[in-house]
């Protein structure tokens, strides 16, 4: 390894062209990921997308078929032993000894590491102080999951892998788990988490990669994923009884029965012109909406898990291009779909 | 490794214990034994079955058959004394083979093993701690069985030169059955199947080897012949020498040790940290 003095910190995780097959099934088909130290990175994707496969290759549990993987400067395929004292792992499904108490469990796992974190500190990070002397057996599902995170934190790792930390939780347990992940970010840990939930990725992650069928189909901060922020907003309103003026900044188009839509570059100006015209003309615009693609729209579009829709509008064109898409057309894509959805309603 | 040290929270100097890795391994193993022990006693199934069974059988068998005698080679011994030796052997098999096979399968299916494998805990420390703990339990059970036998049935307990050989047989046997317990885990598809597989392998051997019903002078040859292939017979006969004054054979120790070594090799080759799919 080179000695760097002024260069920025090397990435905590660096993956290039990662591939993995199980027999005929290509579970991971060339994934590139880079995670900076201190970053919270979410791998977002539907069932069977290849999230666990990817994460377990990075953890050293599974061997990759191809590609380059460096985690904390080590190759998990060959240096798993050295890597393990520096990472914390929360597996998708896992257990601990059910007859030990919460505090005993954390201290037992902590002693495996060269620099364990103080048990009480771990307990407060994961919010299990009150359960410190309870047997694992008696914990609720959400509490057990927090204990899983606690165990992963016991060795004070630099990097944490959380494979679906909140799947199966009720909404309040999810909120609690989110607080735990946020507290990890606050103490400077690098976190790679996987999830099915858009809101989770949006809430927790600095950066999100959407993975579908073994490929990353979009990547970026949740706010601008797949060019979400670049998609022009649309104004939708009921068709007024009188003609709409021409000088609104964009031409209104019909979007379903009795509804008009304006796609605009200058939202504020268009909105101002539209509403001042409406007031002076005595036209009611009740039901006026400003529409943008949500992260969920983008996700469903990218992963192709949207239920099939009726009609042969622009969404049909969208669907045709769904397979074999590249990341660069994701933005125009999201836009196309949003238009399509509007007309279907 | 500058890239490594650049990460937050990791100061220079490396692990403080790197000067004494052996000492650290010993401390780690002993701590691990402590945790295994706590979990063992709090689990009603493992503590109850392992502990209650041999003592319960001892009482039942001696109550039913305790007045008779057994012919072992040239000697004739009271059945009550016979059962003290037999139940001591049974206790070791339960504490080592059955207990380790069940617990390990369960831990594998629960994902406990996979999680452990994701930590820097050396696998050898994990196994050693499990084996040491099983050994402690086995010795404790043998002591309790012997004391109970001596008090209730005036059974003689190993002493003097016999004691030395007895302890060798006990430790070799306990170690061998631990290794076999780990080995058989790799043939158990899942935790649901564990009791069936474990009992199917060990119960016939216990019967064939005269643990529950003494192999008298007129036991069929084929039974003794089959039993002699497997380690339970030799282990029991080694322990009997200590209690009953029958002749002690180093060949028994050797055969048990060979089974143990074979078990260890299978365990090492086939052991799985993840649930079998
Ligand atoms: N050990 C294995 N043997 C064979 N196929 C496997 C194995 N593990 C995963 N697969 C397959 O590889 C694909 C990707 O699985 P993976 O577990 O990585 O998906 P995932 O994104 O984690 O899904 P989920 O959200 O359901 O956890 C799936 O089709 C799965 O059936
Ligand atoms: Mg998964």
């Amino acid at each position: 390894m080179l000695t760097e003095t002024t260069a920025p910190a090397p990435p905590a995780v660096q993956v290039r062209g990662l591939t993995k097959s199980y027999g005929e099934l290509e579970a991971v088909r060339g994934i590139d990921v880079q995670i900076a130290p201190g970053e919270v990175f979410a791998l977002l994707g539907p069932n069977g997308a290849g999230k666990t496969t990817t994460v377990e290759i990075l953890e050293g549990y599974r061997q990759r078929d191809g590609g380059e993987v460096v985690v904390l400067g080590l190759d998990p395929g060959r240096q798993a032993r050295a890597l393990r004292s520096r990472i914390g792992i929360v597996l998708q499904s896992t257990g601990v000894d059910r007859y030990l108490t919460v505090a005993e469990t954390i201290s037992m796992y902590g002693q495996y590491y060269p620099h364990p974190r103080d048990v009480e500190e771990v307990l407060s990070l994961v919010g299990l102080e009150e359960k410190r002397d309870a047997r694992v057996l008696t914990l609720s599902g959400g509490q057990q999951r927090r204990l899983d995170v606690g165990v992963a934190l016991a060795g004070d790792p630099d990097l944490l892998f959380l494979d679906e930390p909140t799947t199966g939780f009720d909404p309040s347990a999810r909120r609690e788990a989110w607080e735990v992940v946020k507290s990890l970010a606050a103490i400077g840990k690098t976190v790679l988490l996987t999830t099915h939930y858009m809101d989770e990725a949006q809430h927790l992650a600095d950066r999100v990669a959407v993975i579908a069928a073994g490929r990353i189909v979009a990547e970026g901060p949740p706010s601008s994923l797949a060019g979400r922020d670049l998609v022009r907003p649309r104004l939708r309103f009921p068709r007024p009884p009188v003609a709409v003026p021409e000088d609104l900044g964009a031409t209104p188009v019909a979007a379903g029965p009795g509804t008009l839509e304006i796609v605009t570059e200058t939202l504020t100006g268009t909105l101002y012109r539209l509403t001042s015209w409406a007031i002076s003309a005595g036209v009611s615009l009740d039901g006026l909406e400003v529409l943008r693609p949500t992260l969920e729209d983008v996700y469903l579009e990218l992963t192709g898990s949207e239920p099939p829709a009726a009609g042969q509008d622009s969404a049909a064109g969208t669907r045709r291009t769904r397979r074999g898409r590249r990341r660069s057309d994701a933005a125009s894509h999201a836009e196309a779909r949003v238009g399509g959805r509007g007309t279907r309603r | 490794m500058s890239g490594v040290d650049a990460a937050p929270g990791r100061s220079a100097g490396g692990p403080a214990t790197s000067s004494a890795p052996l000492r650290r391994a010993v401390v780690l193993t002993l701590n691990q034994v402590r945790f295994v022990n706590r979990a063992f006693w709090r689990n009603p199934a493992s503590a109850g079955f392992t502990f209650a069974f041999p003592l319960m059988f001892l009482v039942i068998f001696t109550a039913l058959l305790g007045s008779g005698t057994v012919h072992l080679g040239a000697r004739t011994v009271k059945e009550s004394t016979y059962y003290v030796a037999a139940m001591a052997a049974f206790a070791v098999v339960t504490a080592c083979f059955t207990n380790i096979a069940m617990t390990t399968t369960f831990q594998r299916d629960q994902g406990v093993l996979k999680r452990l494998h994701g930590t820097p805990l050396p696998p050898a420390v994990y196994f050693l701690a499990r084996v040491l703990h099983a050994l402690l339990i086995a010795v404790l059970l043998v002591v309790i069985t012997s004391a109970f036998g001596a008090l209730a049935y005036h059974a003689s307990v190993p002493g003097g030169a016999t004691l030395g050989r007895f302890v060798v047989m006990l430790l070799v046997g306990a170690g061998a059955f631990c290794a076999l317990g780990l080995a058989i885990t790799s043939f158990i598809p899942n935790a649901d199947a564990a009791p069936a597989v474990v009992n199917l392998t060990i119960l016939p051997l216990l019967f064939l080897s005269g643990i529950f019903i003494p192999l008298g002078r007129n036991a069929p040859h084929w039974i003794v012949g089959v039993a002699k292939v497997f380690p339970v017979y030799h282990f029991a006969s080694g322990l009997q020498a200590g209690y009953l004054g029958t002749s002690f054979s180093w060949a028994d120790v050797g055969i048990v040790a060979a089974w143990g070594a074979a078990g260890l090799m299978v365990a090492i080759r086939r052991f799985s940290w993840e649930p079998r799919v």
Side-chain angles (χ1 to χ4, degrees), chain A residues 1-2 4 56 61 84 86 94-97 99 104 108-109 111-113 115 135 148 151 156 158, chain B residues 2 4 8 10 24 28 31-32 35 38 42-43 107 110-112 114-121:
Chain A
M1 201 172 291
L2 298 172
E4 292 137 294
E56 293 201 353
Y61 279 113
R84 277 168 181 160
R86 302 194 41 217
T94 184
V96 285
D97 216 310
Y99 295 96
E104 283 168 351
M108 180 175 87
Y109 278 89
Q111 58 156 351
Y112 302 156
Y113 294 83
H115 306 280
R135 303 244 172 116
D148 288 339
V151 167
D156 199 19
D158 305 327
Chain B
S2 65
V4 171
R10 190 67 57 201
R24 175 163 160 74
L28 200 53
N31 279 338
Q32 189 65 18
F35 285 113
R38 268 187 221 172
R42 289 178 194 167
N43 180 349
Q107 288 199 332
Q110 295 280 304
V112 177
K114 183 170 182 180
R115 186 200 290 255
L116 279 171
H117 203 43
T119 73
L121 177 72

Side-chain angles (χ1 to χ4, degrees), chain A residues 46-53 92 163-164 194 196:
Chain A
N47 286 129
K51 302 182 296 295
T52 299
T53 302
Q92 182 166 356
D163 197 357
E164 294 187 22
T194 75
H196 297 150

Side-chain angles (χ1 to χ4, degrees), chain B residues 69-77 213-221 224:
Chain B
T69 54
V70 185
H71 305 283
L72 294 169
R75 291 181 72 97
T76 302
V77 297
I213 304 160
L215 298 175
R217 266 202 284 259
N218 33 14
H221 282 299
V224 182

Side-chain angles (χ1 to χ4, degrees), chain A residues 99-104 119-120 123 128-136 138-139, chain B residues 42:
Chain A
Y99 295 96
L100 296 178
T101 69
V102 168
E104 283 168 351
V119 173
E120 306 305 322
L123 288 174
L128 284 175
E129 298 103 317
E130 274 154 40
K131 290 284 173 185
R132 85 181 294 288
D133 296 316
R135 303 244 172 116
V136 173
T138 66
L139 299 182
Chain B
R42 289 178 194 167

Side-chain angles (χ1 to χ4, degrees), chain A residues 247-307:
Chain A
D247 61 348
L248 291 175
T251 319
V253 294
T259 310
L260 291 181
E261 270 189 16
I262 302 177
V263 179
T264 175
E265 308 257 3
T266 53
L267 177 64
T268 317
T270 306
L271 198 54
Y272 174 76
R273 282 189 285 275
L274 178 67
T275 47
S276 30
W277 164 78
I279 290 170
S280 60
V283 169
S284 156
L285 287 179
D286 287 354
L288 173 70
E289 289 177 278
V290 179
L291 302 172
R292 286 175 192 281
T294 64
L295 187 56
E296 181 162 349
D297 289 327
V298 173
Y299 170 80
L300 290 176
E301 177 56 32
L302 290 170
T303 59
S305 46
E306 176 197 28

